[in-house]
Amino acid sequence: MAWCVYTNETPSSPDVGISMNPKKWNRKKWLLFGLAAALVLVPPHALKADATDEIVRLAALMEWRPGTIVADIGAGDGSYSFAAAERVGASGRIFATEIDKKKLKELRAEVKKRNLQNVTVIESAEAETRLPAACCDAIFLRRVYHHLTKPVEFDANLIRSLKPGGRLAIIDFPPRPDLDPVEGVPANRGGHGIPQKLVIDELTAAGFQVEKIVADWPGDSYCILFLRK
């Protein structure tokens, strides 16, 4: 990484672009230098949103209420499922689905440890949610859709798992050249990530209707809200 620093100091020699003698720098300049370094070294997508804050925003967007039944597809460590469980309350239910065996084991252990009576862990499959038919008021996939290797089949399962009038939220990000490609996904993804238009095309073909697009979701992501017709 190349650094370029500009000051009003006179260079100490023809071979040095800037005099870095600390005695000539006042505290304000060092603070500005540190701030500039932080902005360069920490890319925006590395600043992860807090799960609780993001779920609060998602719950408002999807109109969750106490008693709402929600599925978190690709729940990972469960952070978002657990935050969602607090939002829907004891009368609601969260289905936390995961395909990775190790993550499933850890997720089940954490649910048991927390004694979460309103969270059900489900082992999903490559082309199936394995959720009961018409079980959910809302389903969300957070940075998961671009990993789907059989999106057509999976999308059909998503619409089957939602109640009529239920909502689906896809939180994802455009293809990023700094990330390795995902193995096994369709070649039209354009890299690690997925364009908004492709998500819309695939899910409307499955029978969903676009309700809202939020372009400024945390973590350099977007959120597309769909409605089951």
Side-chain angles (χ1 to χ4, degrees):
M1 180 184 295
W3 284 85
C4 185
V5 182
Y6 296 91
T7 75
N8 58 5
E9 298 287 351
T10 303
S12 57
S13 74
D15 298 321
V16 180
I18 177 174
S19 172
M20 296 296 289
N21 184 351
K23 293 180 180 178
K24 295 183 179 181
W25 283 66
N26 59 33
R27 186 171 181 271
K28 183 177 180 181
K29 288 179 181 178
W30 279 109
L31 288 172
L32 291 172
F33 183 86
L35 177 61
L39 291 172
V40 171
L41 294 174
V42 182
H45 60 259
L47 302 174
K48 294 184 178 180
D50 176 77
T52 300
D53 291 343
E54 194 168 342
I55 285 295
V56 167
R57 185 176 180 184
L58 184 63
L61 180 68
M62 301 186 82
E63 298 182 4
W64 299 355
R65 293 176 176 84
T68 298
I69 301 173
V70 180
D72 176 6
I73 306 295
D77 66 2
S79 298
Y80 291 81
S81 293
F82 303 152
E86 293 184 13
R87 301 299 300 177
V88 302
S91 60
R93 177 151 300 277
I94 303 298
F95 291 107
T97 82
E98 181 55 58
I99 195 170
D100 183 270
K101 300 287 187 184
K102 183 175 182 291
K103 289 179 180 178
L104 272 167
K105 183 178 179 181
E106 293 171 350
L107 187 55
R108 288 186 173 117
E110 190 63 24
V111 169
K112 184 178 180 180
K113 178 183 175 182
R114 296 181 182 221
N115 192 29
L116 296 173
Q117 301 300 314
N118 63 343
V119 177
T120 300
V121 178
I122 293 179
E123 181 177 1
S124 60
E126 184 181 13
E128 297 180 33
T129 64
R130 290 185 174 162
L131 292 166
C135 65
C136 292
D137 302 300
I139 297 176
F140 69 93
L141 286 75
R142 184 184 178 276
R143 297 191 162 203
V144 168
Y145 194 87
H146 70 269
H147 285 277
L148 298 182
T149 54
K150 295 184 177 180
V152 174
E153 296 87 344
F154 205 89
D155 292 350
N157 255 252
L158 288 172
I159 204 162
R160 180 188 64 82
S161 303
L162 272 173
K163 297 175 183 178
R167 290 186 168 96
L168 169 71
I170 302 295
I171 298 168
D172 226 308
F173 54 89
R176 293 217 318 251
D178 58 316
L179 297 176
D180 293 332
V182 181
E183 292 184 11
V185 301
N188 63 355
R189 272 29 188 169
H192 195 137
I194 186 168
Q196 281 188 38
K197 184 180 184 303
L198 203 50
V199 175
I200 292 170
D201 288 347
E202 292 182 358
L203 285 163
T204 52
F208 286 98
Q209 176 182 319
V210 177
E211 189 171 17
K212 188 172 185 178
I213 299 173
V214 182
D216 61 342
W217 203 260
D220 280 356
S221 299
Y222 55 79
C223 179
I224 307 175
L225 187 65
F226 296 89
L227 185 70
R228 180 183 171 179
K229 300 176 183 177

